[in-house]
Amino acid sequence: MKSLLRSALSVFVLLSAITGLAYPLAVTGIAGAVFPEQAAGSLIFKDGKPVGSRLIGQPFSDPGHFWGRPSATAPQPYNAAASSGSNQGPLNPALEDAVKGRIAALRAADPGNGAPIPADLVTASGSGLDPHISPAAALWQLGRVARARGLREAQVRALVDANTEGRQWGFLGEARVNVLALNLALDALQR
């Protein structure tokens, strides 16, 4: 019995060291060497200081910036520690009310824009952290942003086009625009 317990304890310690220490350190080291930007959080820097990540959205609400997808995280939006969807299905009255409220807010912010509002401006992503919007969502906001900044729409459209990322590897996903990167490019334009 003693030797069986000793063997079991030895295997437990050995496997704990391998799976809990050696393996994570090896994977972290390899990731840092092969994908240094991603392993460091895909941070975006402005004036040498990190201002966000390419992977996590940020709230923008002033008319001179592009707005991202609504966040489903609580207690504050884009809280990476609380990543989750709202779990509200399409027949849930709370989702319908939230979407109606978001539509009203978008229409109030740009009353002259009668174009249909893209769905990604009124619905949260599955994680509640999505940093991207569709090119259609960016173009829908173009007039408001240009007017608020005193810029020509063509200037702002050129920034949207320059910050539109194509499908990953040419066939996965859809074209998208990183809201933080676009807003930083917009801020740099007016320096």
Side-chain angles (χ1 to χ4, degrees):
M1 183 68 160
K2 236 182 191 180
S3 74
L4 186 61
L5 217 58
R6 188 175 309 137
S7 295
L9 188 58
S10 298
V11 169
F12 172 74
V13 170
L14 178 67
L15 289 176
S16 293
I18 291 171
T19 61
L21 206 59
Y23 178 76
L25 287 174
V27 169
T28 302
I30 292 168
V34 178
F35 303 107
E37 181 187 344
Q38 293 89 337
S42 298
L43 298 177
I44 296 176
F45 292 86
K46 179 179 178 183
D47 301 326
K49 296 178 184 168
V51 294
S53 170
R54 291 192 180 285
L55 306 174
I56 299 173
Q58 290 189 9
F60 290 96
S61 59
D62 64 289
H65 283 106
F66 285 88
W67 300 343
R69 289 189 79 159
S71 176
T73 64
Q76 73 262 12
Y78 303 105
N79 178 4
S83 174
S84 68
S86 66
N87 291 330
Q88 296 173 342
L91 300 178
N92 188 324
L95 177 63
E96 185 178 346
D97 292 343
V99 168
K100 284 180 182 177
R102 293 167 185 156
I103 289 172
L106 287 166
R107 293 281 183 216
D110 194 0
N113 189 345
I117 299 172
D120 54 327
L121 286 179
V122 295
T123 56
S125 67
S127 69
L129 302 173
D130 197 345
H132 297 97
I133 55 175
S134 65
L139 294 176
W140 191 89
Q141 301 178 72
L142 191 98
R144 182 199 76 230
V145 172
R147 282 190 303 280
R149 296 254 181 174
L151 297 170
R152 293 186 331 272
E153 285 191 19
Q155 287 177 288
V156 180
R157 185 183 189 102
L159 283 178
V160 170
D161 292 343
N163 284 279
T164 298
E165 305 167 17
R167 294 172 172 238
Q168 188 171 7
W169 299 314
F171 67 95
L172 290 178
E174 296 295 327
R176 62 210 178 278
V177 179
N178 187 292
V179 177
L180 177 58
L182 176 58
N183 284 333
L184 289 173
L186 191 59
D187 291 343
L189 183 67
Q190 291 198 300
R191 278 190 177 174

